[in-house]
Each structure stands twice: as structure tokens, then as C-alpha cells.
Amino acid sequence: MKNKTGTRYAELFENTVIIAIGSFSSKVLVFFLVPLYTSVLSSSEYGFYDLIYTSLQLAVPILSLNVSESVFRFTVSAKSETKKIVSFTTKCCVYSILPAFMVLSAFAALGISDWIREYSVYILIFYISYMFNQYMIQLAKGIDKIKKMTISGVIGTVFMVGGNVIFLLVIKNGLRGFFVANILGQLIPAVYLFFSMHFWKMFSLTGNVDKDLKKMILKYSAPLILTNIGWWINNASDRYIITWGIGIDAAGILSVAYKIPSIIAVVYGLFIQAWQISATKEYEKSNSGSFYKNIFISLNIFLYYMISLFLLFTKPIASIMFAEDFYSAWIFVPFLLLSSYFSASAGFIAPILTARYDTKTVAYSTITGGVVNILLNIILMFWIGTMGVTIATAFSSFIIFAVRYYSARDVISGVNLRRVLALWLAILIQVVLEINSVYFFQFVPVVVVSVLFRKNLIEYIRVLKLTINKRLKMN
């Protein structure tokens, strides 16, 4: 039993490391490009691009029926049906291009936005590239091509980073160049996965897919469309509300503020891709609840120290990352970091729920959080301005976690929720202290947490030492 249990953790750790090796360094490069964006592009240009990108994150799952999520779940559990699954889901993606084209054409013809009319071709190509890259990534995970998925991430980043340097600094093509560079960052890795996975062997243009399989796929993916809408509302609606209530310049400032919390999302994203695989594979196995509980506690402790570190150095990081006109964005970072903490915890539970095909709860939680977010955004924006929007985002992320945790409490057996809440309370105290520029007392919550979780920390250090010694002996 111990060997089997150890294998669970080893596989999760190995997959996380593989993904991290290929993705972390490339994501760090993107992080350091933020000063380039904010120095070359105006706040209006950057604000427009950010609105388009967040809009694509909403449009792709709606128009493609969110089949990217389905292709992972069903290829994991029904490998013998891979060709049928891939054929049907790919066609759904292709069919989605037509309504995307029609929407953009309507916007351009009606003169709703001069920006959209000018950049409509770039937006459509971006939509296609982003959609197929996301699809190929999920397919790679579903058929256990983790290393290929990792390589594709590196390739995409090289083209995106190189494209930004060339188009923004050398050619000086401004916003158009920025679009082209980011399109290449999506398109090239999708092409790589297409050929490296021999996609044509998994796809049949004329093959029939039985109705029961279609029904199962769509029944699974349909609630996840609402999930994506909910997350989009929770993460992106504030930009639209800020644009409407204050102006696009303020939206650009807020978009830049998100860049520091996005580092948390990048690091967590390395783990969650591996966790999605482990949570799905382990669901039907014995004592999976204990496995889930241990990973959940460990994840929250790790996130606490990481976010605490970012809070301590928010201003120095902002002075390095943001151009002078954007430096004021630092004040909005603390509550966005708190939101990222809640979002990560909620994101941890989602693969557990989808492993048992409970996509309705995942959808319900995100829609609930999204509605709360919109209402609080409007109320708090008119009360305390942009800061109110960041508070609303943090609170709605907590609501999403609460709904999911309540539904999955029978699966995540034995979690001491009070200990997790203690971590969150400590971070909240640090957030308030940071906003009010009270730096020294931020160390007090860190010391308290270290005392409360000293046994966990000692165990992590012991396991780390054993792992390092084992690797040294192997070499």
C-alpha cells in the first residue's frame, strides 16, 4: 500500500517537474517583458489588447462548446474511443470559426468600435490560434504526451517573446506587432503538437460518432461552458466595468496590476496541469480522500509563503515591472493576490469534481461567484473606486471555493478547514498592512503561521532532504 501511495505522489511530482522545466523559465521571460509592453504601448492600446484577450477566453469555450475540456476527460477514461472523440470534438472547434467571423463582421459593419474594425482580422486569427492551441494541449494531456505538451509551451514562448522584441523594438509596429507576436505564440505550438502527436491518425473526417458518445461529451462539456463564463466574469468583468465607470486608461492600469498576481497563477498553473491528471486517475482508487487532503493542505501552505513574499516586496517588484505611468497600479495588487489564493484553492477542487463528472457543481459555483462579482464591482466601484473592484474579485473567488468545498467535502476527507482559514486570515492581515504601508508588522503573521504549521514544515524539509540524497546517490 505504501508503494502505491508513494507512486501517487511521485507521479504528481514528476508530472509537475516535467511541466515546470518546460514552462517555468519561459513564463519568467514573459514576466520580464511587462516593462517592454508598458513602455512601448499606451495604456489605451494595452487596455484594448487585454479586453480582446479576456474576451477570447470567454468566446472560445462558448462557440466551441468547450470540447477542449471533454477531449482530456474522455481520452483518459475511454482510450479505445480516442479516434471518435477526437473527430467529433475537432469538428466542433472548426464549426465555431463561422460564428466568430460573423460576430466580428457585425461589430465592424455596425461601427460599434473603431478599434475592433481596425483589428478585426488580427482578432479572428488570434481566436483560431488560441482555440486550437488550447485543444491540442488538452489532447496531449489526455493521451499522456506530457513531455510534448511541455515542449510546445517552450516553442510558443520563444516565438511570442522573439516576436515581441522584433515587432515592438526593431520594426516598431506597435499594437499590430503585439497581436502578431501573441498569435505566433499560440499558433506555432499548436502546429508542433499537430505533427508530433500524428494528429491525422486520431482524426477521421468521414467517420461516424454514435449518438450516445456525442451526448456524453456534450453533457459533460455544457456545464463547463457556464464554468468558463463564471471565471471570465470573475476575472475579466472588472475591466469592462472599470472601462464603463471610470475609463479605458483606468482599465489599463488595473490590467497591469494583474501582472504580479499572474505570477502566482503561472506557478500554480504548472501544478494544476499535473493535478488534473492525478485527480482524474486517482478518483476511483482506495483512500483517494486522504491523498486529496494531504495535497490540499500542502498546496495552501506553499501558496501562503509565496503570496506572503510577494506582499512584502510588492512595491519593489512594481518599480521594476511597471513603467513610470503604471507604477500607481501597485496599490491594487494586494487584494488581487488574496483573490489568487482563493482561486487556486477553488481550482484545486475542480478536477476532483470533474473526475466524478460533476461539472454542474463546478459551473454553479463559478456562475454564483461571477454574479456576486458583478454586483459588488458596481457597488464598490462607485463607493471606493478601482480598489473596490479588487475587493469584489477577492470575495467572489472565496464564494467559488466555498461552494465547491461544500460539494466535495465527502471526497476531501479529514481536512481541518480551520487551519486553512487561519492561513487565509494571516494573508488578509498582511494585505491590509501592505496597502497602509505598514511593513514591519507583516512579519508577525508569518511567524504565527510558521509556529502553527511547524510540524508540516519539518516534514516537508525531511522529505526534501531524502529526495535530494536519493538523487545524489543515483548520480
Side-chain angles (χ1 to χ4, degrees), residues 133 136 186-196:
N133 190 35
M136 288 296 179
Q186 299 290 331
L187 181 61
I188 302 301
V191 171
Y192 163 77
L193 287 174
F194 179 89
F195 286 103
S196 65

Side-chain angles (χ1 to χ4, degrees), residues 203-407:
F203 176 79
S204 174
L205 186 62
T206 58
N208 293 321
V209 181
D210 58 86
K211 292 182 179 180
D212 289 339
L213 181 58
K214 287 183 181 179
K215 186 177 179 180
M216 287 175 61
I217 291 173
L218 295 178
K219 184 179 179 180
Y220 177 87
S221 65
L224 292 177
I225 297 174
L226 297 177
T227 302
N228 279 273
I229 293 173
W231 273 122
W232 179 86
I233 291 172
N234 202 45
N235 294 320
S237 63
D238 48 8
R239 274 90 148 186
Y240 292 90
I241 292 172
I242 287 290
T243 301
W244 163 67
I246 301 177
I248 196 168
D249 287 344
I253 295 292
L254 184 62
S255 298
V256 169
Y258 267 99
K259 294 305 173 184
I260 294 179
S262 70
I263 302 170
I264 305 295
V266 166
V267 176
Y268 174 71
L270 303 177
F271 164 78
I272 201 62
Q273 292 186 66
W275 174 243
Q276 185 183 29
I277 298 169
S278 293
T280 303
K281 287 183 176 180
E282 299 297 329
Y283 181 75
E284 297 294 340
K285 296 182 181 180
S286 62
N287 74 326
S288 58
S290 177
F291 174 66
Y292 293 157
K293 177 201 71 175
N294 292 335
I295 299 298
F296 181 65
I297 292 294
S298 299
L299 174 68
N300 269 274
I301 293 173
F302 172 77
L303 285 172
Y304 169 78
Y305 284 104
M306 184 178 182
I307 293 173
S308 178
L309 188 65
F310 275 99
L311 283 169
L312 288 170
F313 294 97
T314 294
K315 284 188 177 180
I317 293 172
S319 66
I320 295 171
M321 285 185 62
F322 306 158
E324 185 176 352
D325 292 343
F326 291 86
Y327 177 74
S328 61
W330 79 267
I331 194 70
F332 306 122
V333 172
F335 271 109
L336 294 178
L337 284 170
L338 179 63
S339 176
S340 68
Y341 200 168
F342 297 151
S343 295
S345 297
F348 173 88
I349 299 175
I352 299 173
L353 294 172
T354 56
R356 66 180 184 188
Y357 298 97
D358 187 8
T359 54
K360 290 182 179 179
T361 297
V362 179
Y364 172 74
S365 63
T366 48
I367 289 296
T368 301
V371 171
V372 170
N373 193 29
I374 288 178
L375 294 175
L376 286 180
N377 271 338
I378 296 172
I379 294 170
L380 295 180
M381 180 186 68
F382 287 110
W383 183 22
I384 52 178
T386 304
M387 182 64 74
V389 172
T390 66
I391 295 172
T393 300
F395 184 77
S396 59
S397 296
F398 174 77
I399 292 296
I400 294 171
F401 166 80
V403 174
R404 290 183 181 179
Y405 179 82
Y406 181 80
S407 180

Side-chain angles (χ1 to χ4, degrees), residues 132-182:
F132 278 108
N133 190 35
Q134 294 302 307
Y135 178 84
M136 288 296 179
I137 288 171
Q138 292 295 331
L139 176 60
K141 286 196 293 185
I143 61 175
D144 290 326
K145 301 294 183 182
I146 306 300
K147 292 181 180 179
K148 292 185 185 298
M149 182 193 76
T150 300
I151 293 171
S152 75
V154 175
I155 292 172
T157 303
V158 168
F159 275 90
M160 191 271 287
V161 172
N164 273 305
V165 171
I166 292 171
F167 290 113
L168 293 181
L169 293 183
V170 180
I171 302 178
K172 297 182 178 179
N173 205 21
L175 186 55
R176 283 188 175 81
F178 193 48
F179 267 109
V180 172
N182 284 279

Side-chain angles (χ1 to χ4, degrees), residues 3 17 21 60-61 78 112 118 160 168 251 264 267 345 380 383 405 409 426 433 441 447 453:
N3 289 336
V17 170
I21 289 172
V60 167
I112 293 175
E118 184 176 355
M160 191 271 287
L168 293 181
I264 305 295
V267 176
S345 297
L380 295 180
W383 183 22
Y405 179 82
R409 66 192 186 283
L433 292 173
F441 288 103
V447 172
F453 291 88

